[in-house]
Amino acid sequence: MYYSILLFVFVLFGQQAFGFSLNNNTGKGFSSNEIDVYIADTDCSGAGFTTERYKALVSSAVKRFWNNVPTSALFLDVKGIRSDIDIDGDDHDAALNKVPRNSILAGCNDSADQFSNASILGSAKMKCSGSTCYAVLILNAHPNSSLPDKDEGVIEDIIAHELGHAFGLGHSKLKPSLMYYSVSGKFQKWLGQDDIDGVTYLYPHDSEADILGMSLLGNCGSINMDDDNQHGFFKSMLIGLILILLLGFFRKLFIRNLRGSL
Ligand SMILES: [Zn+2]
């Protein structure tokens, strides 16, 4: 009974601890833990910076947030500006179609109809087909965009939030999280626990999977040795335990017999 109550409490709190969600209909994110990020050769002047500066902001955003989670293997590799990809005037779908597969493209758009509300600072769209995913991140460079009024740190927060959508996260229910739906009125210094849980779920370190994969493939000479050693260890432990129990039993028996003879 006591354990049932304990289990119930764990389940209850366990459920409350997870507030992250996944980007709709995109499965479990990109198949690789290393994702190339390109900058589209688009005019970001309406957002208050040059394309070169945009690249620096994206690089800084990934370093500050997603590339430094010890429990996750995700590495967003900011490759540079793609002079062959221009998404000016494209809607999200058209821009998405220009993204090299298995990568993320970051660009700007000054077309008001791309953003239902000019105060929306950016958005991201991700698509997966089978194990191939690709995503586009677009910042609002419309003349009404409020991005030029923002500090660079806040712009990096916005880029990092949209990158979160681009690699597979949805919104978090928890306000301290970067993936909380609104960034207004806050400067995100670091990831929330919920962001860390989300990125770790999508892109965990795969050492365990590697070992499992090797065992399943039977290509596991060294693993077998480890297994044997482990079995040997547990065997010794078990024999030791049985010996201790037997010794205890005989000791009691001996003492009882001794007492009986006195
Ligand atoms: Zn969002």
Side-chain angles (χ1 to χ4, degrees):
M1 183 61 187
Y2 170 75
Y3 286 110
S4 321
I5 292 168
L6 207 63
L7 187 70
F8 176 73
V9 170
F10 270 125
V11 168
L12 196 71
F13 281 92
Q15 279 181 347
Q16 283 184 344
F18 296 107
F20 73 84
S21 65
L22 302 181
N23 202 336
N24 290 339
N25 308 319
T26 49
K28 222 180 155 235
F30 285 74
S31 54
S32 169
N33 292 327
E34 289 189 23
I35 306 169
D36 291 342
V37 180
Y38 298 107
I39 313 300
D41 191 11
T42 47
D43 181 11
C44 291
S45 56
F49 42 80
T50 62
T51 312
E52 200 61 50
R53 185 73 203 136
Y54 192 11
K55 184 189 150 194
L57 290 167
V58 174
S59 299
S60 183
V62 302
K63 264 187 219 136
R64 270 182 60 208
F65 295 102
W66 302 117
N67 283 0
N68 283 305
V69 179
T71 49
S72 170
L74 178 67
F75 182 72
L76 298 170
D77 191 358
V78 183
K79 293 289 192 186
I81 299 165
R82 287 285 296 252
S83 55
D84 57 329
I85 307 177
D86 183 349
I87 60 165
D88 274 335
D90 286 348
D91 62 20
H92 280 76
D93 286 329
L96 190 59
N97 278 333
K98 294 179 181 174
V99 181
R101 297 307 181 253
N102 300 309
S103 75
I104 295 171
L105 181 74
C108 292
N109 206 318
D110 61 2
S111 168
D113 61 359
Q114 298 314 304
F115 296 95
S116 54
N117 177 337
S119 68
I120 293 174
L121 305 168
S123 63
K125 192 160 189 180
M126 177 188 184
K127 195 170 184 180
C128 291
S129 130
S131 60
T132 302
C133 291
Y134 48 107
V136 68
L137 177 174
I138 303 178
L139 291 186
N140 189 349
H142 185 266
N144 290 336
S145 169
S146 58
L147 277 175
D149 309 327
K150 305 280 182 200
D151 291 339
E152 286 204 338
V154 174
I155 295 172
E156 284 173 20
D157 290 357
I158 294 160
I159 292 170
H161 175 100
E162 298 305 337
L163 279 170
H165 288 315
F167 66 66
L169 286 177
H171 282 143
S172 166
K173 289 181 245 170
L174 308 180
K175 202 166 183 181
S177 299
L178 176 71
M179 294 313 293
Y180 187 64
Y181 74 94
S182 168
V183 290
S184 77
K186 67 168 185 168
F187 172 57
Q188 190 82 28
K189 285 192 183 140
W190 42 69
L191 293 174
Q193 184 58 49
D194 204 36
D195 303 314
I196 293 168
D197 291 343
V199 71
T200 304
Y201 171 77
L202 285 175
Y203 303 96
H205 288 290
D206 53 6
S207 55
E208 279 180 22
D210 281 349
I211 290 167
L212 184 68
M214 284 170 76
S215 307
L216 287 173
L217 289 170
N219 178 21
C220 50
S222 59
I223 303 290
N224 270 346
M225 262 177 68
D226 285 348
D227 276 358
D228 286 342
N229 286 342
Q230 271 192 354
H231 289 157
F233 174 72
F234 285 120
K235 237 182 252 172
S236 314
M237 289 280 285
L238 197 65
I239 290 168
L241 195 68
I242 291 168
L243 277 175
I244 288 166
L245 288 172
L246 281 174
L247 273 173
F249 174 72
F250 282 120
R251 193 170 153 265
K252 267 188 189 166
L253 205 69
F254 176 72
I255 289 168
R256 202 177 293 154
N257 283 344
L258 213 62
R259 277 189 191 140
S261 66
L262 279 173

mmCIF file of all heavy atoms in Angstrom, residues 21 33 35 75 91 101 161 171 182 196 228 249 258 262:
data_model
loop_
_atom_site.group_PDB
_atom_site.id
_atom_site.type_symbol
_atom_site.label_atom_id
_atom_site.label_comp_id
_atom_site.label_asym_id
_atom_site.label_seq_id
_atom_site.Cartn_x
_atom_site.Cartn_y
_atom_site.Cartn_z
ATOM 1 N N SER A 21 6.435 20.406 -25.378
ATOM 2 C CA SER A 21 5.646 19.686 -26.367
ATOM 3 C C SER A 21 6.457 19.636 -27.653
ATOM 4 O O SER A 21 7.483 20.306 -27.772
ATOM 5 C CB SER A 21 4.307 20.393 -26.600
ATOM 6 O OG SER A 21 4.532 21.665 -27.167
ATOM 7 N N ASN A 33 21.913 14.116 -35.027
ATOM 8 C CA ASN A 33 22.074 15.062 -33.920
ATOM 9 C C ASN A 33 22.795 16.332 -34.361
ATOM 10 O O ASN A 33 22.808 17.318 -33.645
ATOM 11 C CB ASN A 33 22.880 14.410 -32.794
ATOM 12 C CG ASN A 33 22.107 13.295 -32.122
ATOM 13 O OD1 ASN A 33 20.893 13.357 -32.014
ATOM 14 N ND2 ASN A 33 22.816 12.267 -31.676
ATOM 15 N N ILE A 35 22.875 19.222 -37.064
ATOM 16 C CA ILE A 35 22.024 19.811 -38.099
ATOM 17 C C ILE A 35 22.701 21.064 -38.648
ATOM 18 O O ILE A 35 23.076 21.963 -37.879
ATOM 19 C CB ILE A 35 20.633 20.172 -37.529
ATOM 20 C CG1 ILE A 35 19.989 18.958 -36.840
ATOM 21 C CG2 ILE A 35 19.725 20.711 -38.626
ATOM 22 C CD1 ILE A 35 18.746 19.297 -36.024
ATOM 23 N N PHE A 75 23.741 19.375 -32.032
ATOM 24 C CA PHE A 75 24.733 20.384 -32.401
ATOM 25 C C PHE A 75 24.242 21.077 -33.669
ATOM 26 O O PHE A 75 24.163 20.467 -34.740
ATOM 27 C CB PHE A 75 26.116 19.752 -32.630
ATOM 28 C CG PHE A 75 27.160 20.783 -32.955
ATOM 29 C CD1 PHE A 75 27.636 21.647 -31.968
ATOM 30 C CD2 PHE A 75 27.643 20.924 -34.253
ATOM 31 C CE1 PHE A 75 28.587 22.621 -32.272
ATOM 32 C CE2 PHE A 75 28.599 21.900 -34.561
ATOM 33 C CZ PHE A 75 29.066 22.746 -33.564
ATOM 34 N N ASP A 91 6.226 33.003 -49.379
ATOM 35 C CA ASP A 91 5.479 32.616 -48.176
ATOM 36 C C ASP A 91 6.233 31.452 -47.522
ATOM 37 O O ASP A 91 7.241 30.966 -48.068
ATOM 38 C CB ASP A 91 4.018 32.278 -48.497
ATOM 39 C CG ASP A 91 3.882 31.100 -49.447
ATOM 40 O OD1 ASP A 91 4.835 30.320 -49.566
ATOM 41 O OD2 ASP A 91 2.813 30.976 -50.069
ATOM 42 N N ARG A 101 17.705 19.703 -47.856
ATOM 43 C CA ARG A 101 17.153 18.672 -46.968
ATOM 44 C C ARG A 101 18.095 18.397 -45.798
ATOM 45 O O ARG A 101 19.310 18.535 -45.922
ATOM 46 C CB ARG A 101 16.864 17.397 -47.742
ATOM 47 C CG ARG A 101 15.774 17.589 -48.834
ATOM 48 C CD ARG A 101 14.497 18.214 -48.254
ATOM 49 N NE ARG A 101 13.430 18.398 -49.236
ATOM 50 C CZ ARG A 101 13.049 19.575 -49.755
ATOM 51 N NH1 ARG A 101 13.686 20.706 -49.411
ATOM 52 N NH2 ARG A 101 12.056 19.651 -50.601
ATOM 53 N N HIS A 161 14.436 30.605 -29.810
ATOM 54 C CA HIS A 161 13.075 30.067 -29.659
ATOM 55 C C HIS A 161 12.601 29.476 -31.001
ATOM 56 O O HIS A 161 12.100 28.347 -31.043
ATOM 57 C CB HIS A 161 12.142 31.196 -29.199
ATOM 58 C CG HIS A 161 10.690 30.811 -29.121
ATOM 59 N ND1 HIS A 161 10.063 30.484 -27.934
ATOM 60 C CD2 HIS A 161 9.738 30.701 -30.089
ATOM 61 C CE1 HIS A 161 8.792 30.192 -28.178
ATOM 62 N NE2 HIS A 161 8.572 30.320 -29.486
ATOM 63 N N HIS A 171 5.523 24.462 -28.047
ATOM 64 C CA HIS A 171 5.581 25.405 -26.929
ATOM 65 C C HIS A 171 5.558 24.700 -25.583
ATOM 66 O O HIS A 171 5.005 23.612 -25.444
ATOM 67 C CB HIS A 171 4.416 26.387 -27.019
ATOM 68 C CG HIS A 171 4.646 27.455 -28.034
ATOM 69 N ND1 HIS A 171 3.650 27.970 -28.829
ATOM 70 C CD2 HIS A 171 5.787 28.100 -28.400
ATOM 71 C CE1 HIS A 171 4.167 28.901 -29.627
ATOM 72 N NE2 HIS A 171 5.467 28.982 -29.395
ATOM 73 N N SER A 182 5.371 33.050 -25.326
ATOM 74 C CA SER A 182 5.573 34.487 -25.482
ATOM 75 C C SER A 182 6.929 34.897 -24.922
ATOM 76 O O SER A 182 7.328 34.462 -23.846
ATOM 77 C CB SER A 182 4.466 35.236 -24.737
ATOM 78 O OG SER A 182 4.806 36.604 -24.647
ATOM 79 N N ILE A 196 15.456 21.864 -21.570
ATOM 80 C CA ILE A 196 16.519 20.847 -21.493
ATOM 81 C C ILE A 196 15.911 19.450 -21.644
ATOM 82 O O ILE A 196 16.422 18.614 -22.387
ATOM 83 C CB ILE A 196 17.289 20.985 -20.152
ATOM 84 C CG1 ILE A 196 18.067 22.312 -20.149
ATOM 85 C CG2 ILE A 196 18.230 19.808 -19.920
ATOM 86 C CD1 ILE A 196 18.630 22.718 -18.800
ATOM 87 N N ASP A 228 29.982 -10.959 -20.205
ATOM 88 C CA ASP A 228 30.468 -12.087 -19.415
ATOM 89 C C ASP A 228 31.016 -11.608 -18.080
ATOM 90 O O ASP A 228 30.748 -12.184 -17.041
ATOM 91 C CB ASP A 228 31.564 -12.842 -20.179
ATOM 92 C CG ASP A 228 30.956 -13.660 -21.301
ATOM 93 O OD1 ASP A 228 29.710 -13.888 -21.239
ATOM 94 O OD2 ASP A 228 31.665 -14.055 -22.205
ATOM 95 N N PHE A 249 22.595 -18.810 9.213
ATOM 96 C CA PHE A 249 21.688 -19.897 9.590
ATOM 97 C C PHE A 249 22.404 -20.913 10.487
ATOM 98 O O PHE A 249 21.924 -21.284 11.562
ATOM 99 C CB PHE A 249 21.159 -20.553 8.306
ATOM 100 C CG PHE A 249 20.333 -21.767 8.551
ATOM 101 C CD1 PHE A 249 19.048 -21.665 9.087
ATOM 102 C CD2 PHE A 249 20.835 -23.032 8.248
ATOM 103 C CE1 PHE A 249 18.280 -22.789 9.321
ATOM 104 C CE2 PHE A 249 20.065 -24.151 8.473
ATOM 105 C CZ PHE A 249 18.791 -24.037 9.010
ATOM 106 N N LEU A 258 24.162 -25.220 21.261
ATOM 107 C CA LEU A 258 25.082 -25.002 22.380
ATOM 108 C C LEU A 258 24.286 -24.728 23.648
ATOM 109 O O LEU A 258 24.546 -25.307 24.700
ATOM 110 C CB LEU A 258 25.979 -23.798 22.038
ATOM 111 C CG LEU A 258 27.404 -23.835 22.581
ATOM 112 C CD1 LEU A 258 28.157 -25.046 21.987
ATOM 113 C CD2 LEU A 258 28.139 -22.556 22.215
ATOM 114 N N LEU A 262 23.628 -26.883 27.329
ATOM 115 C CA LEU A 262 24.063 -26.357 28.646
ATOM 116 C C LEU A 262 23.057 -26.662 29.738
ATOM 117 O O LEU A 262 21.887 -26.727 29.515
ATOM 118 C CB LEU A 262 24.297 -24.840 28.556
ATOM 119 C CG LEU A 262 25.644 -24.459 27.954
ATOM 120 C CD1 LEU A 262 25.726 -22.956 27.749
ATOM 121 C CD2 LEU A 262 26.799 -24.910 28.835
#
